[in-house]
């Protein structure tokens, strides 16, 4: 079992090296980003504890994939397998547990421990063969696949908006909209097989326009319930709702461009840093968007022309 | 018409295609045969513009790729996408509108199910259906018969014949000589990145015998089976 964890550690280090940074620096960056994000989260909403539990369970649930677990079962005996699963789940959720305890969220911490133990003992098939209906079937593929993977987040986001309305916490409602935007951004984190770009009978510029247009239209569809509810219950803040929506759209377009700026490769450290800086300093977008756009056109020319 | 002149391709210092000269005419089915690693797939990728190369590939079209349906040996599919959505994606990419997908479901595929639940043969049939619905003028089918059941093989052969009658250009690679002999007007033999022989329909039998003799040689004796 020690060998297994040593191997996992090696694989993690290789991943960080693939990002182009030494593992030690990588761990430090992750720690800083995690600290800053959770700190910010706890400062803006009293529901941060629940969010923390959900995100941690989301992470650990990825370790419960049936294929992965079948493989582990074929290597280890039942007792070792269960110990290993519990240990890796606890290790993955440890940062979140520390944060919860630090902020005094004892109940949520216990809830998380219970969740990861259950997740370790049972595994859940997240690859259901039942076709989940989506409203995006006519324009595959990013939102079709993304929605089917993350569909459970949307009712949760709308619930947050409902809580925001019932408690009169407008910022929480905006955070819910940002959550939807972040989820939509994740649909563009990996490049598709070049065959699906090659097939387009479009120029690179038209191709990018089509991709951005469909991304924003689909995001609008998912955000409409939030926007309408917030504008209705906080009428004086309607301009802020519209502005927030616009900001989300700009960032979504940036993410689409960032993806194709290195196509067919996966966005690397350089793109992530640029996007990260753009989140902190939105003015940087004035330079980031044209840069990603021109890089995308160059990369797509090789495939589309 | 697609014309290939002195086409060469290197992966580092490894030459995969060596000064290939070929012509693929309209209304004809061209077969490409050769051992694994002979360069067939690389040749197809060069024609499709998915690889950089030395030499020239010209066609009657302004942009050949926009009129080309490519069926890869092992088509790629996304997880959590249905057969119908896959077809929609490929048809959309050519700015075409598709209605009544079910009516065009020539292989009776379960189009509302995730492609991940399909067998290898079903995936191949889906990918083929999608490129057929793209209304292409040129088709490159890399191992179209692999993993496909006998009944669908019959359908596939008839589809290829229909494409020829519609004046389309069809290029097929296959390891199953009999299916190529049934469908092709010409068969090109590739070896180590070079085109070593072209056979017309009347010479297919001779080509097959030559290939067998050359390929088998004394290999079986090497095993020293007892």
């Amino acid at each position: 079992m020690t060998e297994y964890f040593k191997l996992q550690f090696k694989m993690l280090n290789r991943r960080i090296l693939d990002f182009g940074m030494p593992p030690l620096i990588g761990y430090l960056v992750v720690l800083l980003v995690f600290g800053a994000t959770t700190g910010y989260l706890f400062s803006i909403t009293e529901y941060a504890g629940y969010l923390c539990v959900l995100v941690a369970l989301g992470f650990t649930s990825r370790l419960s994939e049936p294929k992965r677990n079948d493989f582990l079962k074929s290597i280890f005996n039942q007792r070792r397998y269960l110990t290993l699963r519990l240990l890796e789940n606890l290790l993955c959720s440890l940062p979140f547990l520390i944060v919860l305890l630090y902020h005094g969220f004892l109940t949520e911490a216990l809830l998380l421990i219970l969740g990861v133990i259950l997740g370790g003992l049972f595994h859940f098939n997240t690859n259901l063969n039942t076709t989940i209906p989506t409203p995006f079937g006519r324009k595959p593929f990013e939102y079709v696949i993304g929605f089917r993977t993350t569909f459970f987040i949307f009712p949760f986001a709308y619930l947050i908006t409902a809580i925001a309305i019932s408690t009169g916490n407008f910022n929480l409602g905006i955070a819910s909209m940002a959550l939807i935007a972040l989820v939509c951004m994740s649909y563009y984190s990996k490049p598709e097989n070049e065959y699906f770009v090659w097939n387009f009978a479009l120029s690179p510029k038209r191709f990018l326009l089509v991709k951005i247009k469909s991304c924003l239209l689909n995001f609008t569809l998912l955000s409409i319930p939030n926007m309408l509810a917030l504008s209705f219950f906080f009428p004086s803040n309607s301009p802020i709702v519209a502005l927030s929506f616009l900001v989300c759209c700009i960032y979504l377009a940036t993410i689409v461009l960032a993806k194709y700026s290195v196509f067919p490769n996966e966005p690397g450290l350089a793109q992530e840093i640029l996007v990260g800086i753009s989140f902190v300093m939105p003015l940087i977008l004035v330079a980031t968007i044209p840069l990603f756009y021109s890089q995308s056109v160059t990369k797509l020319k090789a495939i589309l022309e | 018409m697609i014309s290939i002149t002195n086409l060469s391709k290197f992966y580092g210092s490894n030459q995969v295609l060596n000064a290939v000269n070929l012509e693929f005419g309209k209304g004809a089915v061209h077969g490409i045969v050769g051992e694994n690693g002979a360069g067939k797939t690389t040749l197809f990728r060069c024609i499709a513009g998915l690889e950089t190369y030395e030499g020239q590939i010209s066609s009657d079209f302004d942009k050949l790729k926009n009129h080309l349906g490519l069926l890869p040996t092992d088509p790629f599919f996304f997880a959590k996408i249905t057969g119908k959505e896959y077809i929609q994606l490929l048809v959309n990419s050519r700015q075409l509108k598709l209605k009544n997908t079910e009516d065009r479901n020539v292989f009776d595929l379960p189009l509302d199910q995730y492609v991940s639940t399909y067998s290898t043969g079903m995936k191949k049939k889906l990918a083929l259906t999608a490129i057929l619905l793209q209304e292409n003028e040129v088709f490159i089918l890399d191992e179209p018969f692999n993993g496909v059941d006998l009944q669908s093989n019959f359908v596939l052969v008839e589809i290829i014949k229909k494409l020829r009658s519609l004046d389309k250009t069809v290029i097929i690679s296959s390891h199953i000589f009999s299916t190529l002999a049934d469908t092709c007007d010409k068969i090109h033999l590739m070896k180590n990145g070079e085109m070593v022989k072209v056979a017309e329909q009347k010479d297919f039998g001779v080509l097959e015998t030559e290939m067998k003799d050359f390929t088998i040689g004394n290999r079986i004796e090497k095993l020293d089976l007892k």
Side-chain angles (χ1 to χ4, degrees), chain A residues 211-232:
Chain A
K211 286 284 172 186
I212 292 172
K213 203 173 110 185
S214 107
C215 170
L216 299 186
L217 274 173
N218 293 339
F219 170 66
T220 309
L221 194 68
L222 289 168
S223 301
I224 275 178
N226 264 0
M227 283 164 55
L228 288 179
L230 289 175
S231 302
F232 183 78

Side-chain angles (χ1 to χ4, degrees), chain A residues 131 148 195 198-200, chain B residues 48 65 70 85 94 112 134:
Chain A
T131 308
R148 287 189 176 130
Y195 182 72
W198 173 85
N199 255 294
F200 275 85
Chain B
K65 72 167 273 298
L70 174 66
E85 287 159 356
R94 295 294 166 91
D112 287 323
Q134 282 183 324

Side-chain angles (χ1 to χ4, degrees), chain A residues 34-223:
Chain A
F34 181 74
T37 314
T38 49
Y40 177 68
L41 194 68
F42 279 89
S43 71
I44 58 161
T45 172
E46 57 189 294
Y47 299 99
Y50 291 113
L51 276 174
C52 232
V53 173
L54 276 172
V55 173
L57 288 177
F59 269 119
T60 53
S61 71
R62 303 188 81 172
L63 304 173
S64 300
E65 279 295 318
K67 271 189 187 169
R68 181 181 185 276
N69 283 280
D70 289 345
F71 172 68
L72 290 177
K73 276 180 187 169
S74 71
I75 301 172
F76 300 104
N77 63 33
Q78 183 69 5
R79 199 176 62 85
R80 282 191 161 211
Y81 163 76
L82 285 175
T83 317
L84 184 145
R85 286 289 294 111
L86 288 175
L87 268 175
E88 62 180 8
N89 268 11
L90 282 170
L91 273 173
C92 264
S93 57
L94 197 62
F96 296 94
L97 272 174
I98 294 171
V99 167
L100 286 170
L101 292 172
Y102 174 77
H103 288 279
F105 286 78
L106 194 64
T107 319
E108 286 82 353
L110 287 171
L111 200 68
L112 179 56
I113 292 170
L114 187 72
V116 295
I117 289 174
L118 286 173
L121 295 178
F122 307 100
H123 52 86
F124 311 99
N125 191 350
T126 52
N127 282 327
L128 294 172
N129 286 337
T130 316
T131 308
I132 298 165
T134 88
F136 312 110
R138 288 180 66 82
K139 291 268 179 197
F141 66 98
E142 292 90 345
Y143 275 76
V144 169
I145 298 162
F147 183 81
R148 287 189 176 130
T149 317
T150 58
F151 65 94
F152 52 89
I153 294 178
F154 299 106
F156 175 68
Y158 300 142
L159 179 73
I160 293 179
T161 307
I163 294 170
I165 290 164
S166 66
T167 56
N169 186 347
F170 176 73
N171 287 345
L172 187 63
I174 294 295
S176 156
M177 193 194 272
L179 174 68
I180 292 176
L182 283 172
V183 171
C184 294
M185 282 176 200
S186 73
Y187 301 165
Y188 294 86
S189 59
K190 295 235 183 249
E192 63 267 40
N193 185 293
E194 63 183 347
Y195 182 72
F196 296 105
V197 173
W198 173 85
N199 255 294
F200 275 85
L202 292 172
S203 68
K205 288 177 183 176
R206 280 276 302 151
F207 173 85
L208 288 171
L209 195 71
V210 166
K211 286 284 172 186
I212 292 172
K213 203 173 110 185
S214 107
C215 170
L216 299 186
L217 274 173
N218 293 339
F219 170 66
T220 309
L221 194 68
L222 289 168
S223 301

Side-chain angles (χ1 to χ4, degrees), chain B residues 194-226:
Chain B
E194 290 181 39
M195 284 294 166
V196 290
K197 194 158 193 159
V198 186
E200 304 275 342
Q201 259 180 347
K202 60 181 170 51
D203 301 321
F204 284 173
V206 180
L207 180 67
E208 190 178 13
T209 313
E210 275 181 24
M211 279 173 64
K212 264 187 193 164
D213 290 346
F214 176 79
T215 311
I216 299 169
N218 66 341
R219 282 169 206 245
I220 311 300
E221 279 73 38
K222 279 185 187 172
L223 283 168
D224 197 21
L225 293 171
K226 291 194 172 74

